[in-house]
Structure formats: C-alpha cells, structure tokens
Amino acid sequence: MTKDVIALTKQMPDPLSVLAGLLSGGPDRMVGVEGEGAVVQLCDEQGRPLVSVEAPLLVQVRGEAERLLGAREPEVPYWWTEARATTGVKEAEELAGTFAARIATLVGGTAWPPGAAWSLAVVKTDGMSVAPVPAAAQPAVDVLTDKVAVIIQDRPVVAMTAWLSDAFRAAANAGLGLQIVTPAGTRLSPAVRNSLPGWPSRWVVQDERDGYYDGLSGAVLQWSNGLFVTVESPEATPQDPRTPVAASFGEGVQDTGERQLAISFRTIHPADERLVLGGALEAVWQEITGERPAGWGTEEPANLPWSLRQLTDVAYERAPEPTWLVAVGSPERPGLATVRITRTKGGVEEDVTLAFGYGPGEQMPTDAVIAAAEALATQHDLQSMLVQIRRARRDLSVPPRFEGPGVPYAFVLGAEEVRTMPGDRARNTPLAEAPRELGPKTRPALYYPLPGDPSDLSGWQDFERLMRHLKGS
C-alpha cells in the first residue's frame, strides 16, 4: 500500500473537516505541528509521528493530477491535500487513508489512490508505537544514516513535492546524499531528475531478479554500510569495475516514435530593481509552442497560473538566497522546465532546463529553434544555449530503463561571449557548416547547427570538438 494519500477537493478543507480527519485515530490521538504550522502530525503515545499532513494547496493549473497521479481531477481550481504515513506501520497507512476519505467526503471530492481511502471508521491504534526515527523532523525521510537520507516513494511519478523539496534541502544542509527508493513501475518527474545531485544520491529501483538497481544507469545495487552502493563483478579491477547492469533496465527498449526537444540555456541580467524574471523562458516557450507556459510553482504540482510579476516577486523576496521553480505546459502540449535564479557577482542568473514532448506523427518544430535563440540573444542577455533531440517519452516522465542520450541539434553562444573571445575563434570552427549570426551585425550572437539525429551519436563528437575549439584547447 502506498505511503502517500492525497485528497482532491473543490472546496478548501475547513478547520472542522481537518479536525474530523485528524480524529481518524480516535479522540486521544496526539497532534503535533511542524514547519511553522505548515505540517500537522498525528503521533503515537511517545509523540512520534504516525501521519504528517501538509497544508492544502490550491491548484489552478489544468492537468497536474493526471500528470503526476494518473487521476481524474476536479475542474480547476481545486485543493490538493497530502498526507504521508510513517513507513512500515500498517495502522499509519490506514490513518492516512481514513484522513483523506473523511476530507473528501466532508468537503466534496476524491482521494488518491482510491484503494487507500476506503473507510471512514476510526482506526484502532491503542498501544501502537513507532520505532525511533532520527529523521522525524523530516516527514519525507524514511531512513537516515550518517551518509544518506533514504526516501521510499510508491507513486506513479515521483514529483518535487513540498515533502521532497524539504528533504533535498535538509540533506544538502547536512552534507548527506539523497536516495529515492521506488517500485519498478514508478517514474521520475523531470523536475526531480534535474535536481538529483551526484553520488551518493541516486534513484533506487526495486527489482524481482536483481534486488535493486539504479534507475538512471541500470547498475545493480546493494545496501552496504548505510547506503545503496553498486555491486562489483568478481572480475572487477580498480581500472575496470565491471558493474553488473540489471536485466530489467534494458528490456522493452524500442523506438516508439516519441521524441523530446530538450533545451538548456543560461541568461545573465544586470542587477536592476526593474528587472522582470522569467521572460527568457516565456520567449522560448512562445516560439516553440505558440503559447506561454500554463503554470508554475516552487514545487509540484505546479499550482499557479503563469505570471512574470508573481514569479519575480517570489525571487526578490527570497534574495539573496537562490530560487528554484518549475513551469509546465498544457496537457495538449507536454512541456516542463526547471529554473534556478541566482544572484551572483555578474548579475542575476537564470539557469533553465526545458523539454517538450512529441508523439509519433507529431511534427517537432525544429525550425522555431533559431527564432527562440534569436529572442534570447537579442532581448534576454543569453550566455549560452544547447538544444538536443531525444528518443524519450512524450509525457516527459523518466522511466527506470535505458533511454538513449539526446543528440545535439544546435549550440548558441551569447553576444558577450562572442565579443570577449580572441580573434575570429568563435567564427572559424572545425564544423562543416559555418555559424549563423543572430542579432545586430555589430554585436552578434552565434548559432552553431549540429546533426541532431538521435540515430547518429557522432553529433556529440562534433559538439565536443566545438567546445574544445571555443575554449582554445
């Protein structure tokens, strides 16, 4: 049974409804508060959390429940109330289900998953207690060692929820890795994939044949000395570790005709109190799809309608700390971007990773890439931009199996970077095709076309030659 239960309701759960839900463990069950009141917890007799309930979130973006849960959602706007049960305690899972069922019944709505919220009756918890959990202050963390924080997720898509976002920050502040453990059928949101740091952080997939494997590399894993590590082959040497790859990782790999257009870019704006952020992302989205992003948020689900002003206000309020956010498209044209806004000595930086999904027979608008690049170069202080084409899912989620790497389709160097490069190095490259100038002739950016054919990985060789040339090596 899943550890997370979510109520989707047309009305905001009022205090009496929340109280009725919290009494699912009986009138004597202790209630605690964490996160400056943002998280309410049902606790055992020793005060240790059984169920943690996040504050309701008003979702104003269409399609998020379908994207993340595979669930039918009410018409927007609706309220998303999430409860997380302590792992390994059956009664805690029943408490979370009963809480969501009561909320959905009292204010009108549904609960996900349907099988978890089947009863309104009080759950018998007399004498039940929870084993000591060092990570009790972090409801998302199931196991905490001196090396990693481990999170167990049983959802269709692991999203960058408020729970998970808090766990990322807590692990980073403590100098720990973050390891996410899921069943075989679970996928990652690109927001989580793009945010997952390097070793010892990883996505751990449960597997019937090999036990566990890394969902991104396929390496077979085992639990050892407080974290999941790769299994070494008996023939391994320091120079050749020969890590076994799980059979499940390579099964079912075929070209379905689905593609992704992946774009990553960085802009550096002069620091100015009149600066409006998010315009670069909006410009690219508009050129590629003909419309603006549908919504954004500082977590998933993305709950706010797209607004440059609101986005800018949030970033200013958080400065000088960085701001991370996610933007999504409409269900008809899957698109997702993660943005990190940082104040640096050079100004205000926006690092954007963006992808759009296309199904078999859908035309990928590669001809719009040049227009998007020119908009960034002439209006949004572009530093650099890389465009790739990938054989990958239209819905943009990341499965625990092999997906071929993207192949570079184009690289763009911003006007300031071209200006500061010595001589004609930026223009005289080892590529077969000369770069195209974008913007004014007196101060152009340069657009370098690359093969972009997913069946021809030589595109990476061209890209690497170009990078070595531009760096002067």
Side-chain angles (χ1 to χ4, degrees), residues 72-195:
R72 292 188 60 184
E73 62 188 11
E75 292 185 5
V76 294
Y78 61 90
W79 292 89
W80 179 301
T81 306
E82 191 155 333
R84 179 169 173 80
T86 297
T87 302
V89 181
K90 178 182 177 182
E91 292 83 357
E93 298 170 11
E94 293 177 358
L95 281 171
T98 300
F99 170 84
R102 289 186 174 191
I103 292 294
T105 300
L106 290 170
V107 301
T110 59
W112 178 91
W118 57 272
S119 174
L120 301 176
V122 172
V123 178
K124 294 182 180 180
T125 58
D126 295 341
M128 183 183 64
S129 63
V130 182
V133 181
Q138 284 292 326
V141 175
D142 296 290
V143 178
L144 187 66
T145 74
D146 60 349
K147 299 180 180 68
V148 296
V150 179
I151 296 174
I152 301 173
Q153 290 273 273
D154 187 3
R155 302 166 72 132
V157 177
V158 176
M160 187 59 80
T161 60
W163 308 111
L164 190 55
S165 179
D166 288 344
F168 266 97
R169 283 192 293 269
N173 292 338
L176 300 175
L178 187 72
Q179 298 190 337
I180 302 172
V181 181
T182 73
T186 295
R187 290 166 277 126
L188 295 188
S189 161
V192 176
R193 171 65 182 90
N194 296 341
S195 301

Side-chain angles (χ1 to χ4, degrees), residues 33-45:
V33 177
E34 292 288 341
E36 298 181 352
V39 178
V40 179
Q41 295 178 325
L42 289 171
C43 304
D44 67 5
E45 295 173 354

Side-chain angles (χ1 to χ4, degrees), residues 293-304:
W296 73 286
T298 55
E299 61 195 52
E300 290 183 291
N303 66 312
L304 299 170

